[in-house]
């Protein structure tokens, strides 16, 4: 269960007293999640999500994350909205942790996405990119291209303990991407972690995008590459071009891709796979066996990375130029 910080009834009631959200009825920890502690909180006025930000989230970044959710919600993007207390603050302290109360979204995340879900995700991502275009706060991507080699160097000598050949594979990939990584693509706010468990659906309609705690400024097409990795591979790691075609079509119908973005997609997908391979491999080596959350297996992202290295054109992802 991913509840790192326990909260007592009295502590929570005192925290909620600063908000106009009614009286506390009940609260329950949410098992899913890796970075933070989350509770579902029920009051006499409804349900909310309470998030306590743990040590892996920099407190200095929290105004950006909460401000971004406020901004996107005001632009009518379906996403959680921070609840502000009576003096206008969205960020407080609870049980020794920075904490925020967030609006509750109905819906479920889809374990086995179909093309209709992928199309909806592409469109929602493009809407988010457009809605964030006038958000004035900025945050550097802490896991961007320039950070991958230093991250690898932190576990390079132990890389083959994850699986044989990982070290050589990553070294080769870093060298190749250093030559090919695209520059000067259209940039703005990206989600940077739009995996299926961060998108809620009601039926075939998206009810909300959640978990903006990796959001940052980077290339829009890189965000799309992360989604292609996350949504378009099957359980056996086969690439599903029908899902990819739907995701790309959904995105480009809302925000048309430039020719440079389309040309860069194979490299961006390769890099996105490497980024998640690196963080998963690092966590695989450094997460204690007693930890609440089991680290993700790095192997599927190694396989994705190798697949993308064979792609020469976005048409192999199902890209079709809009009429």
């Amino acid at each position: 269960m991913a509840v790192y910080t326990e909260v007592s009834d009295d502590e929570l009631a005192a925290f909620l007293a600063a908000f106009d959200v009614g009286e506390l009825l009940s609260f329950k920890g949410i098992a899913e999640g890796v970075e933070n502690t989350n509770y579902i909180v029920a009051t006499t006025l409804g349900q909310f999500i309470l998030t306590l930000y743990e040590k892996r989230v920099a407190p200095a970044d929290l105004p950006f994350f909460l401000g971004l959710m406020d901004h996107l919600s005001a632009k009518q993007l379906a996403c959680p909205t921070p609840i502000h207390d009576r003096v206008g603050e969205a960020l407080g302290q609870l049980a020794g942790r920075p904490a925020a109360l967030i609006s509750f979204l109905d819906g479920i995340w889809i374990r086995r996405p179909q093309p209709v879900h992928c199309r909806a995700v592409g469109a929602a991502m493009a809407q988010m990119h457009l809605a964030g275009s006038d958000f004035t706060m900025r945050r550097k991507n802490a896991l961007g291209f320039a950070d991958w080699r230093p991250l690898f160097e932190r576990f390079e000598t132990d890389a083959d303990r994850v699986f044989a050949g990982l070290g050589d594979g990553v070294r080769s990939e870093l060298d190749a991407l250093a030559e090919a990584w695209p520059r000067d693509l259209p940039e703005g706010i990206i989600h940077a972690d739009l995996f299926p468990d961060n998108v809620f659906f009601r039926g075939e309609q998206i009810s909300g995008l959640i978990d903006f705690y990796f959001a940052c400024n980077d290339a829009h097409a890189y965000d799309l590459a992360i989604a292609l990795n996350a949504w378009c591979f099957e359980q056996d790691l086969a690439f599903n071009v029908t899902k990819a075609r739907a995701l790309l079509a959904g995105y480009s119908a809302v925000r048309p891709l430039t020719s440079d973005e389309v040309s860069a997609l194979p490299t961006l997908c390769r890099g996105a796979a490497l980024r998640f391979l690196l963080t998963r491999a690092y966590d695989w080596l450094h997460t204690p066996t007693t930890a609440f959350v089991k680290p993700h297996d790095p192997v599927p992202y190694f396989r994705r990375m190798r697949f993308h290295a064979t792609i020469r054109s976005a048409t192999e992802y199902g890209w079709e130029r809009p009429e």
Side-chain angles (χ1 to χ4, degrees):
M1 181 172 179
V3 174
Y4 305 101
T5 301
E6 297 287 346
V7 175
S8 71
D9 295 15
D10 290 344
E11 285 176 316
L12 181 53
F15 179 80
L16 294 178
F19 299 83
D20 291 318
V21 295
E23 299 296 320
L24 176 64
L25 296 176
S26 65
F27 65 106
K28 179 182 179 182
I30 299 174
E32 295 176 347
V34 175
E35 297 291 327
N36 302 310
T37 292
N38 294 288
Y39 291 90
I40 296 178
V41 175
T43 76
T44 51
L45 293 184
Q47 287 188 304
F48 304 88
I49 299 296
L50 170 69
T51 299
L52 283 77
Y53 299 100
E54 301 294 343
K55 295 178 182 179
R56 290 181 68 169
V57 177
D61 286 334
L62 293 175
F64 174 91
F65 298 140
L66 296 172
L68 177 61
M69 286 189 278
D70 268 332
H71 179 88
L72 295 176
S73 180
K75 293 279 187 157
Q76 308 305 310
L77 186 82
C79 70
T81 305
I83 307 300
H84 293 252
D85 66 17
R86 294 189 190 93
V87 296
E89 296 295 328
L91 186 64
Q93 287 282 325
L94 178 59
R97 294 280 187 267
L101 197 64
I102 310 291
S103 63
F104 180 85
L105 297 178
D106 287 317
I108 61 170
W109 71 271
I110 305 298
R111 267 65 175 178
R112 293 183 178 274
Q114 300 303 309
V116 65
H117 303 117
C118 295
R119 181 179 291 272
V121 166
M125 175 179 281
Q127 291 162 4
M128 185 199 73
H129 289 168
L130 293 176
S133 62
D134 58 350
F135 184 57
T136 57
M137 299 178 73
R138 292 185 59 84
R139 177 177 180 265
K140 175 185 175 292
N141 186 351
L143 288 167
F145 175 75
D147 304 284
W148 297 343
R149 193 178 295 274
L151 175 57
F152 176 56
E153 289 171 351
R154 292 169 63 185
F155 68 90
E156 184 172 4
T157 57
D158 294 321
D160 283 7
R161 285 176 46 208
V162 181
F163 60 85
L166 175 61
D168 286 343
V170 170
R171 279 186 286 271
S172 173
E173 199 69 7
L174 285 168
D175 290 343
L177 289 174
E179 297 291 328
W181 195 249
R183 305 291 194 272
D184 300 322
L185 295 176
E187 291 191 357
I189 294 295
I190 69 168
H191 187 282
D193 194 39
L194 202 60
F195 279 62
D197 58 348
N198 287 330
V199 182
F200 284 177
F201 281 85
R202 288 198 297 257
E204 295 179 350
Q205 303 298 314
I206 289 179
S207 59
L209 310 182
I210 69 167
D211 199 351
F212 285 83
Y213 301 114
F214 285 96
C216 57
N217 292 80
D218 209 327
H220 289 139
Y222 175 63
D223 214 12
L224 191 56
I226 292 172
L228 284 165
N229 275 288
W231 289 81
C232 302
F233 285 84
E234 300 299 333
Q235 294 294 314
D236 64 358
L237 302 182
F239 183 72
N240 188 318
V241 70
T242 304
K243 292 181 181 181
R245 182 180 294 112
L247 194 151
L248 291 168
Y251 186 95
S252 60
V254 175
R255 179 189 168 270
L257 294 169
T258 68
S259 58
D260 286 344
E261 288 177 306
V262 174
S263 297
L265 268 179
T267 301
L268 293 170
C269 285
R270 192 173 169 180
L274 175 60
R275 171 261 186 265
F276 285 95
L277 168 63
L278 288 170
T279 51
R280 290 182 177 202
Y282 180 87
D283 287 346
W284 192 265
L285 289 166
H286 294 91
T287 301
T289 56
T290 56
F292 289 111
V293 178
K294 182 180 178 181
H296 292 292
D297 183 0
V299 172
Y301 269 84
F302 187 82
R303 296 268 300 275
R304 284 167 167 81
M305 183 183 75
R306 286 293 174 87
F307 167 80
H308 294 305
T310 70
I311 300 297
R312 295 292 173 263
S313 166
T315 57
E316 296 177 68
Y317 295 132
W319 165 254
E320 296 175 342
R321 185 173 298 280
E323 296 297 331

